[in-house]
């Protein structure tokens, strides 16, 4: 399902923890500078407008595609890992964002508001 916000400001998101357990969380959204924080404490960051981003098994384009995110998607960033250098709408970076267990997107396509790490490094 990803992250969805309805007209009343309620956000529903599938959240996968480090152990791989997925839960659906529904909460009131607080939006500040394009970053959404769910009441449950999970922060999600928007994918660059107009892009459908490939989610990969690891931090580089040599890893297999798990799925492709639809336009307008926002994602949680649980941890970040250095990998292949990628150029996208938010610059060139070797940082890859872990958005779920075994699922990475290039940080150059995620509006985190920073050119550096915004989450702990993945093990």
């Amino acid at each position: 399902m990803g992250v969805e916000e309805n007209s009343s400001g309620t956000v529903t998101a599938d959240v996968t923890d480090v152990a791989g357990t997925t839960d659906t969380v529904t909460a009131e959204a607080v939006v500040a500078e394009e970053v959404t924080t769910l009441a449950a404490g999970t922060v999600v960051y928007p994918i660059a407008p107009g892009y459908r981003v490939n989610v990969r098994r690891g931090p580089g384009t040599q890893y297999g595609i798990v799925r492709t995110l639809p336009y307008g998607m926002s994602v949680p960033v649980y941890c970040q890992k250095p990998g292949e250098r990628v150029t996208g709408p938010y610059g060139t970076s070797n940082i890859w964002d872990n958005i779920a267990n075994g699922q990475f997107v290039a940080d150059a396509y995620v509006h985190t508001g920073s050119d550096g790490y915004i989450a702990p490094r993945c093990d």
Side-chain angles (χ1 to χ4, degrees):
M1 165 193 347
V3 177
E4 298 174 9
E5 183 173 358
N6 68 22
S7 59
S8 68
T10 301
V11 176
T12 303
D14 289 338
V15 178
T16 304
D17 64 18
V18 178
T21 305
T22 301
D23 291 312
T24 299
V25 176
T26 302
E28 294 299 313
V30 178
V31 179
E33 297 179 17
E34 300 180 21
V35 175
T36 303
T37 302
L38 303 179
T42 302
V43 177
V44 292
Y45 302 90
I47 297 295
Y51 287 88
R52 295 184 66 218
V53 175
N54 289 329
V55 178
R56 297 189 175 269
R57 288 191 170 87
T61 58
Q62 73 272 24
Y63 291 90
I65 297 171
V66 176
R67 60 191 168 117
T68 301
L69 299 176
Y71 296 112
M73 186 76 176
S74 290
V75 294
V77 177
Y78 295 109
C79 62
Q80 294 175 299
K81 190 171 194 167
E84 180 183 349
R85 196 163 190 77
V86 172
T87 298
Y90 299 121
T92 300
S93 176
N94 71 334
I95 298 173
W96 286 73
D97 303 333
N98 176 258
I99 64 168
N101 191 30
Q103 298 183 25
F104 292 84
V105 295
D107 190 67
Y109 289 87
V110 181
H111 188 261
T112 62
S114 173
D115 289 335
Y117 288 86
I118 53 93
R121 288 199 184 204
C122 303
D123 293 333

